[in-house]
Amino acid sequence: MIRHFLSLSSFSNRDLQALVDRAHFFSLQPQQTDQIHHLLARKIFANVFYEPSTRTRCSFEIAAKRLGADVVNFVPENSSVKKGETVYDTLKTLESLGVDGIVFRHSDDHVLDHLRDRIQLPLLNAGAGKNEHPSQGLLDLLTLHQEFGDLKGLKIAVCGDVKHSRVAGSLMVAAEMFGMEIYLCGPAALLPVPKSPVVKHAVFDDILPVVDAVMMLRIQLERHQGLDLDARAYHTQFGLNAARVARMRSDAIILHPGPFNRGVEVSDDVVEHPKSRIFKQMSNGVFARMAILEWAMDRRSK
Ligand code: NCD
């Protein structure tokens, strides 16, 4: 069976925990061992990003290289997309050229549903519209696991543009699987109706002292018309600043998937605050994606 990595919901709890544990294992290797560096020797992955990316694209590439694989970076802007080639024909072309897996990002929520049965090699979802971003979900779980151990019962506030966030989408899937509680905060117009009993709406300032982690989200203006608030007003109402951080529990942490807008959803001094794990999340992105690439190639037991 082809090992597509499309949604965290396609894993059992046990298999997803195994992926978190494997990512954790990679994070504990102080240096690159020869064994790790040969796990995916001679494999070639294509990075196919129809939307901008810094962290996800670079960390998939570094993860592949750390495992001994090669990477082809497909850039739609200088490709036959400009001559009218469709997404399907582009992926089929890469399949014919002999790549072993395709790391794929697109603005369409459902594009992967149409491609999954037509492409005969693993498709790895690197962000699908507003739906899911499962590799980000895995790195978020790894970061929480490193901090707190057991994920069950963790309380997480997610504040900002949750409605248009695929990062929040994957976190909510994982929360239901692991029994974490999610509190959605921010402007009412940017909050989805909760679809799971573990997800609730909350008032940011009320929930702050209660939660284990606060995940701040960027306002994803490329996906909607924006709000009736300017950046300063938004920051005052919903931004995480030093005064709000001071009200968090002593062991609570700050998360953000990036890219962050300093002075809007997070103040400048919060980004590198001792409670912030924002850069840790970025480092963990490489380890999570190493675990994903290894899983997709079904190499673990060989
Ligand atoms: C996120 C994304 O692309 O969904 N970024 C990321 O992958 N770390 C979040 C965002 O764009 O705000």
Side-chain angles (χ1 to χ4, degrees), residues 95-114:
E95 184 184 314
S96 313
L97 295 178
V99 303
D100 295 286
I102 295 178
V103 178
F104 183 76
R105 170 175 285 195
H106 201 280
S107 58
D108 186 321
D109 289 7
H110 302 293
V111 67
L112 283 162
D113 300 339
H114 305 301

Side-chain angles (χ1 to χ4, degrees), residues 137-210:
L138 186 66
L139 79 85
D140 291 335
L141 292 178
L142 170 62
T143 309
L144 291 165
H145 172 69
Q146 287 169 338
E147 200 72 34
F148 301 108
D150 197 2
L151 299 170
K152 189 170 169 53
L154 288 181
K155 295 181 171 59
I156 304 170
V158 181
C159 183
D161 184 3
V162 185
K163 202 177 203 168
H164 303 95
S165 170
R166 53 198 176 202
V167 175
S170 286
L171 182 71
M172 289 190 272
V173 168
E176 179 141 12
M177 293 172 74
F178 287 112
M180 302 187 285
E181 296 169 30
I182 305 287
Y183 296 93
L184 306 182
C185 315
L190 299 184
L191 300 186
V193 177
K195 291 199 197 89
S196 155
V198 302
V199 180
K200 297 184 172 69
H201 285 186
V203 175
F204 193 36
D205 283 318
D206 293 349
I207 205 72
L208 263 180
V210 176

Side-chain angles (χ1 to χ4, degrees), residues 49 51-57 105 126-129 132-133 135-136 139 164-168 217-220 222-223 256-261 265 282 289:
F49 282 60
E51 271 192 346
S53 173
T54 301
R55 277 148 290 268
T56 306
R57 196 188 58 70
R105 170 175 285 195
E132 266 222 57
H133 191 348
S135 68
Q136 176 74 39
L139 79 85
H164 303 95
S165 170
R166 53 198 176 202
V167 175
L217 296 175
R218 182 176 70 89
I219 305 180
Q220 288 135 109
E222 72 280 15
R223 303 196 183 140
H256 193 312
F260 37 81
N261 293 122
E265 74 275 11
M282 295 181 201
R289 288 164 180 132

